[in-house]
Amino acid sequence: MAASPSPDHLFGLRNSFYIGAYHAAITSSQSLPAHALSPDDLVERDALLYRSYIAIGSHQLVIGEIGPSAATPLQAVKLLAVYLSGDAGNRESVVSRLRELLSDAAVGTNPILRLMAGTVFMHERDYAEALKHTSSGGSMELHALNVQIYLQMNRTDHAEKQLRVMQQLDEDHTLTQLANAWIDLVMGGSKIQEAHLIFQDLSEKYPATCTILNGKALCSMHMGNFEDAEGLLLESLNKDAKDAETLANLTVCSLNLGKPATRYLNQLKLAQPDHALVKRMSSAADSFDRACQAMA
């Protein structure tokens, strides 16, 4: 008789992180019995805990708590916290240190290290370098990150291929569903309704998070239902007043509704000054100023 598979103690923690329920993930990680976890599970648990803190903006807590003797995957999480902490002067050193770790034969293939490196290189817009370390897969998160990278490269064909890999591994996996919705949103047209159904299904299974609410709002905006989108985004803002995607989407939604958007844009500049929308708006304002000066 075959032995029954051991329980996956981290399933709920992972799922909370995937849907953006970061506070729930933090609570869940702290309630897991250490004696029931393998050494690898303990490292993954702590990595998810600290990544949840990064997601809610507590970068310094992560930097302070992960010491020099911590396992390599946790060192990689710390490097991500340093990179995202807002100090541009540290970014070059983070990239350099990640390259060192990735070139180390003893640790370079670790999936958490490759995931953190891929995330940093994606932020750097060095997509070729990111894919160099993520394309071999090894975890559903790495596959999902590949989808995000390909979408940022405007290569929906490659993103769809990556999605098919995820579907073959686990069609019902939360990350597979999210990746499917991301691709549908980019493709537009009739695919928007399919994305909406995915986010609706997630909202019925799990508590409403900024991730899920923003997904539903984006679908509503694509379908021209800006008032519905505004309601969803205001609900998201009540959950996290500093969530960058909520503020960015509220800015766009408000403009389409003919409402003032300056406050949301200013909040976004404070929360995430490097956000793509902030850069685009700033570039547009500069172009307008130059045009006015040329006409004067």
Side-chain angles (χ1 to χ4, degrees):
M1 184 175 177
S4 58
S6 57
D8 184 355
H9 295 288
L10 300 182
F11 178 83
L13 170 57
R14 290 193 201 98
N15 226 42
S16 292
F17 182 81
Y18 299 154
I19 64 170
Y22 302 118
H23 291 286
I26 291 168
T27 301
S28 175
S29 69
Q30 294 169 341
S31 65
L32 288 171
H35 64 83
L37 303 177
S38 69
D40 286 344
D41 283 345
L42 285 170
V43 171
E44 185 181 357
R45 178 201 66 181
D46 290 346
L48 287 164
L49 166 65
Y50 287 122
R51 289 171 64 197
S52 297
Y53 275 118
I54 291 172
I56 63 174
S58 298
H59 304 103
Q60 294 305 319
L61 182 147
V62 176
I63 295 168
E65 286 198 5
I66 299 179
S69 62
T72 299
L74 297 183
Q75 295 293 342
V77 173
K78 180 178 182 176
L79 287 170
L80 177 63
V82 172
Y83 181 88
L84 296 175
S85 64
D87 188 345
N90 287 329
R91 292 183 178 178
E92 188 174 334
S93 62
V94 166
V95 170
S96 177
R97 178 58 180 152
L98 282 171
R99 291 184 190 277
E100 288 178 19
L101 291 172
L102 291 163
S103 65
D104 186 335
V107 298
T109 59
N110 180 273
I112 296 176
L113 167 60
R114 290 189 291 123
L115 183 67
M116 297 300 98
T119 302
V120 167
F121 289 125
M122 183 175 70
H123 278 282
E124 288 282 295
R125 301 185 184 278
D126 190 347
Y127 302 126
E129 186 67 19
L131 290 168
K132 175 181 174 183
H133 304 293
T134 63
S135 60
S136 60
S139 73
M140 289 298 278
E141 277 205 87
L142 281 166
H143 290 305
L145 181 60
N146 287 335
V147 170
Q148 290 181 311
I149 293 169
Y150 285 129
L151 290 178
Q152 289 203 15
M153 295 171 67
N154 296 315
R155 293 303 305 266
T156 53
D157 53 337
H158 286 298
E160 287 184 287
K161 289 179 183 178
Q162 193 65 212
L163 174 61
R164 286 195 286 273
V165 172
M166 297 176 73
Q167 290 171 331
Q168 290 170 358
L169 291 169
D170 188 347
E171 188 172 9
D172 296 323
H173 197 287
T174 301
L175 285 178
T176 305
Q177 296 302 307
L178 285 170
N180 198 343
W182 299 335
I183 293 171
D184 287 343
L185 280 167
V186 170
M187 294 183 71
S190 62
K191 291 289 186 179
I192 297 301
Q193 186 60 39
E194 294 179 27
H196 181 265
L197 290 174
I198 292 173
F199 285 117
Q200 183 61 35
D201 183 57
L202 290 172
S203 69
E204 292 172 0
K205 287 182 179 178
Y206 306 112
T209 63
C210 292
T211 298
I212 294 174
L213 290 167
N214 273 273
K216 293 177 71 174
L218 282 170
C219 293
S220 293
M221 283 195 283
H222 275 284
M223 293 186 286
N225 301 327
F226 292 100
E227 289 186 359
D228 291 346
E230 183 184 38
L232 291 163
L233 292 169
L234 290 174
E235 183 181 348
S236 180
L237 194 67
N238 283 333
K239 293 181 179 296
D240 184 353
K242 296 181 180 179
D243 183 69
E245 293 311 306
T246 302
L247 293 167
N249 289 329
L250 267 171
T251 301
V252 175
C253 189
S254 297
L255 290 171
N256 277 279
L257 287 169
K259 294 183 178 181
T262 304
R263 178 180 297 172
Y264 297 132
L265 183 60
N266 287 339
Q267 286 178 274
L268 179 60
K269 289 177 181 178
L270 291 172
Q272 194 171 317
D274 291 333
H275 194 280
L277 181 64
V278 173
K279 291 183 176 180
R280 284 202 298 270
M281 297 287 276
S282 177
S283 176
D286 290 343
S287 297
F288 179 77
D289 290 342
R290 285 195 298 272
C292 289
Q293 289 172 2
M295 294 172 63

